[in-house]
Amino acid sequence: QVQLVESGGDSVQAGGSLRLSCAASSYTFGERCAGWFRKRPGKEREGVAIIQADGVTRYEDSIEGRFHISQDNVKNLLYLQMNSLTPEDTGMYYCAASLNRRTCNSPNAGYFYYWGQGTQVTVSS
């Protein structure tokens, strides 16, 4: 049974950084698309970043180069490095993994089958 477990969420001040991690069991990162999504207060869930099996990454436009998605194929971990955080980044962040897609054109939730429980990120001004 595939399980994704996020960690690294915390409370930080604006301008700070966090690195989120996602550990997978019964699933290997690097073979299919994986990504990060978030649910901000009062807003719909939205895609943040994805990484394809070939390493190509794509980001939601509003991220504006502040976040970086990566994966460690040895440790089987997915990461989201978040820099220059603002209060608008506050929310629950979810790791997601595709069932069988090696490519995914955008952070579209429809591409992903497996989901973690989320880790909370809170940014204060």
Side-chain angles (χ1 to χ4, degrees):
Q1 182 178 354
V2 174
Q3 187 174 17
L4 304 177
V5 179
E6 304 93 336
S7 61
D10 205 345
S11 296
V12 297
Q13 290 192 326
S17 298
L18 284 174
R19 188 177 78 161
L20 306 183
S21 299
C22 177
S25 58
S26 302
Y27 188 92
T28 302
F29 288 124
E31 296 182 347
R32 287 156 282 185
C33 286
W36 289 94
F37 290 74
R38 65 184 178 184
K39 176 71 169 68
R40 296 185 286 176
K43 299 188 177 184
E44 298 293 321
R45 183 181 60 184
E46 60 185 341
V48 174
I50 61 92
I51 183 166
Q52 298 184 156
D54 60 2
V56 170
T57 59
R58 305 188 192 278
Y59 298 89
E60 197 278 328
D61 290 344
S62 69
I63 299 304
E64 299 175 337
R66 298 182 297 118
F67 294 2
H68 177 67
I69 187 172
S70 63
Q71 55 197 8
D72 185 326
N73 294 339
V74 174
K75 296 181 179 179
N76 200 30
L77 292 170
L78 183 71
Y79 298 111
L80 183 67
Q81 177 67 43
M82 305 189 295
N83 301 319
S84 302
L85 286 162
T86 75
E88 286 296 303
D89 295 314
T90 293
M92 188 71 80
Y93 284 71
Y94 300 90
C95 170
S98 175
L99 179 63
N100 53 16
R101 294 185 67 99
R102 292 182 56 82
T103 61
C104 35
N105 296 326
S106 64
N108 183 330
Y111 293 145
F112 299 94
Y113 185 80
Y114 303 108
W115 293 84
Q117 294 299 306
T119 186
Q120 177 67 36
V121 172
T122 303
V123 185
S124 58
S125 58

